[in-house]
Amino acid sequence: MSFFEEKQTKLNGMTVHTIKTDKYKTNTLVLKLLAPLKKETVTKRALLPYVLQRATARFPSTGQIRHHLDGLYGATLFADLTKKGENHIITLRMEVANENFLTEKTPLLEEAIKLMSDILLRPLLNGDAFDESIIKEEKRTLKQRIQAAYDDKMRYSNLRLVQEMCKDEPYALHVNGEMEDADALTAAELYEYYQRVLKEDKLDFYLIGDFCEETAGKMIQTHFTFAANSHAYPELEKQVSQKVEEKEVIEEEDVKQGKLNIGYRTNCTYKDEQYFALQVFNGIFGGFSHSKLFINVREKASLAYYAASRVESHKGLLMVMSGIEVGNFDRAVSIIKEQMGAMKAGDFTEEDLVQTKGMIRNQLLETIDTSFGLCEVLYQNAAANAGRTFDELLDGISQVTKEEVVAAASNIQLDTIYFLKGTGAESDG
């Protein structure tokens, strides 16, 4: 049984992905722009999607865009920013009612495609620069987003772990860029960078829903007219495997609860055959409530308020996150190390394996219950330059053996232990 079919066509260097399905009541449009993470562009890039979604030449104010969306039966528009491996990805998403369900025939899909193309290709300009007042407002909001990552100590400790672990690698850069770079950025500089984005980024456009593929294809062709270019997104240099030496970084801040974050190198990324086994490994190690970290660190030893792990599969990292009392640092670290040792020794049951595979499968099926979730699953391929179907993903997980999990575990190396501990007497709270 196949869950859905993804068709791909090229248009001016942009890859158009259409997924025709009657599973959703709406049609979803997602535009993904991918470029390498770089210090000199990271802050410009973090600002750009939010500026683009604010106003276009046709709708020169946010109010007018909102009014237009309301007129499209309450269509929604969002901008977002993520990093996958050493890539910095801008996402623009729209969701619009399926006109087939409406009594009056309004060309909703075409209007949505047209608005999406306006946002990408026809932004509001003032000569050779973006609108100054929008830039000013969005810079302020960007700085608040950057600050928020420092104020939320759970996010902050994860950020600090990555900065220490990946010191001289692009992955250390924060997805929202740097505060001081935001201050210095001008409307003309951002416009100049935007023109480069149109020429150089890897562009992927997803259309998911129930529509006539031929008609939709023509609409996209009509509205996305921009100078054909290669969008020859440069292949990233094959990452030289890092010399891994265990290091410990301890910092103090006024926090009630210590944050212990541990980073490992998995030596495996999304494209690798071992990816499936690594996912199952993570599920048994720290991914679910039946995992070793949850049971041994949190439940049995009562050492942590939370203890979990996750994989960054485009960079090949495994992160352990836990919240502990300061006095429990040594014991927590040693129990986490013990759990990793147990995984490498194959000290887990057949039942653990079956339960974990079932939970990963359910998680994936749950993810594709929404069109945005489906798009994220499919985009893994575009980001990694891979061609794995959803069915292959499910099959790959279901066929993982205990031996393969142990083999994946044996490649994992501890890199950095980061601990954010509280100051003074408050720190035990």
Side-chain angles (χ1 to χ4, degrees):
M1 157 189 157
S2 190
F3 283 87
F4 45 78
E5 190 186 353
E6 176 187 5
K7 289 186 179 163
Q8 294 186 16
T9 49
K10 286 278 187 202
L11 173 65
N12 295 337
M14 178 168 84
T15 307
V16 179
H17 309 251
T18 48
I19 298 94
K20 185 173 162 53
T21 170
D22 57 8
K23 188 177 162 77
Y24 314 110
K25 292 281 180 279
T26 55
N27 286 325
T28 299
L29 298 78
V30 180
L31 188 60
K32 297 270 193 184
L33 296 86
L34 177 148
L37 266 168
K38 287 185 178 162
K39 186 160 179 28
E40 60 273 21
T41 58
V42 68
T43 310
K44 292 176 189 169
R45 194 172 180 83
L47 188 63
L48 184 60
Y50 301 103
V51 169
L52 291 178
Q53 72 161 354
R54 284 284 306 272
T56 68
R58 188 162 58 115
F59 302 112
S61 75
T62 308
Q64 283 169 288
I65 287 188
R66 293 282 155 231
H67 183 68
H68 182 58
L69 289 168
D70 289 342
L72 302 178
Y73 290 83
T76 57
L77 168 68
F78 297 103
D80 197 11
L81 206 61
T82 49
K83 58 180 190 179
K84 279 187 191 301
E86 316 277 40
N87 295 319
H88 203 184
I89 297 155
I90 290 172
T91 303
L92 296 167
R93 321 183 309 195
M94 267 194 83
E95 193 167 19
V96 65
N98 188 328
E99 57 214 52
N100 298 339
F101 294 111
L102 301 177
T103 41
E104 42 184 299
K105 288 291 170 238
T106 316
L108 289 181
L109 181 59
E110 179 151 28
E111 283 296 337
I113 289 170
K114 198 171 165 186
L115 180 58
M116 192 68 112
S117 75
D118 278 355
I119 285 165
L120 179 69
L121 303 172
R122 291 170 283 280
L124 178 67
L125 297 176
N126 184 355
D128 282 340
F130 283 111
D131 179 84
E132 194 60 61
S133 63
I134 289 177
I135 292 283
K136 204 170 160 182
E137 284 172 32
E138 289 305 325
K139 274 164 65 165
R140 190 170 63 239
T141 312
L142 178 67
K143 281 158 55 178
Q144 285 166 355
R145 271 196 296 275
I146 295 170
Q147 189 56 46
Y150 289 91
D151 295 340
D152 175 344
K153 293 310 172 193
M154 204 188 267
R155 278 167 66 195
Y156 172 74
S157 53
N158 199 52
L159 169 68
R160 287 291 300 118
L161 170 70
V162 167
Q163 287 173 340
E164 290 295 332
M165 188 174 173
C166 305
K167 229 171 210 152
D168 303 315
E169 302 162 63
Y171 191 72
L173 294 166
H174 189 267
V175 71
N176 286 319
E178 301 296 332
M179 202 79 89
E180 56 276 14
D181 294 347
D183 281 326
L185 192 52
T186 69
E189 281 172 341
L190 189 66
Y191 178 62
E192 196 183 316
Y193 175 67
Y194 156 76
Q195 289 175 299
R196 257 180 62 197
V197 162
L198 284 187
K199 287 197 181 72
E200 295 170 14
D201 271 27
K202 180 183 189 308
L203 300 183
D204 289 271
F205 183 82
Y206 290 81
L207 181 55
I208 301 170
D210 199 3
F211 46 82
C212 167
E213 289 181 277
E214 194 182 338
T215 312
K218 282 181 184 152
M219 290 174 190
I220 295 168
Q221 211 157 358
T222 303
H223 297 294
F224 280 87
T225 49
F226 51 103
N229 58 61
S230 63
H231 292 287
Y233 170 62
E235 278 291 305
L236 286 175
E237 292 166 33
K238 187 73 186 135
Q239 283 178 31
V240 189
S241 78
Q242 300 292 319
K243 190 168 183 292
V244 179
E245 282 173 4
E246 187 182 320
K247 56 182 179 288
E248 204 173 273
V249 178
I250 297 180
E251 294 180 340
E252 275 193 37
E253 278 209 19
D254 186 14
V255 289
K256 291 272 199 323
Q257 186 194 96
K259 304 282 182 269
L260 171 61
N261 289 53
I262 302 181
Y264 298 82
R265 305 269 174 182
T266 64
N267 298 297
C268 167
T269 60
Y270 180 81
K271 274 180 97 160
D272 298 328
E273 276 301 298
Q274 213 171 43
Y275 169 76
F276 304 117
L278 180 65
Q279 290 297 324
V280 177
F281 160 88
N282 181 57
I284 301 173
F285 177 62
F288 296 111
S289 56
H290 69 276
S291 68
K292 288 189 172 292
L293 291 184
F294 190 88
I295 287 170
N296 293 291
V297 184
R298 187 171 179 265
E299 302 285 290
K300 284 189 187 167
S302 300
L303 282 180
Y305 303 94
Y306 60 91
S309 67
R310 67 178 182 86
V311 169
E312 205 301 348
S313 53
H314 291 263
K315 174 67 180 162
L317 304 179
L318 169 75
M319 316 285 204
V320 171
M321 300 138 295
S322 66
I324 62 171
E325 294 198 5
V326 175
N328 292 335
F329 172 73
D330 291 330
R331 241 181 104 215
V333 169
S334 82
I335 294 181
I336 291 167
K337 285 183 174 177
E338 274 167 31
Q339 303 322 305
M340 179 60 82
M343 291 301 298
K344 293 187 179 198
D347 179 9
F348 54 92
T349 64
E350 193 57 40
E351 192 189 336
D352 291 332
L353 193 67
V354 172
Q355 186 181 4
T356 301
K357 291 200 283 192
M359 288 180 90
I360 295 173
R361 180 188 172 84
N362 288 345
Q363 216 175 39
L364 285 165
L365 291 173
E366 225 169 83
T367 304
I368 67 162
D369 266 348
T370 70
S371 51
F372 291 141
L374 171 59
C375 179
E376 289 307 314
V377 169
L378 294 177
Y379 186 66
Q380 302 261 46
N381 284 318
N385 218 349
R388 194 177 279 150
T389 66
F390 186 73
D391 302 65
E392 285 166 352
L393 193 54
L394 291 179
D395 290 346
I397 295 291
S398 70
Q399 287 166 25
V400 170
T401 65
K402 182 170 185 173
E403 291 68 30
E404 287 169 338
V405 174
V406 172
S410 68
N411 288 333
I412 296 173
Q413 298 166 284
L414 175 55
D415 187 306
T416 303
I417 296 170
Y418 173 81
F419 186 46
L420 180 67
K421 69 175 194 173
T423 50
E426 285 290 285
S427 62
D428 284 355

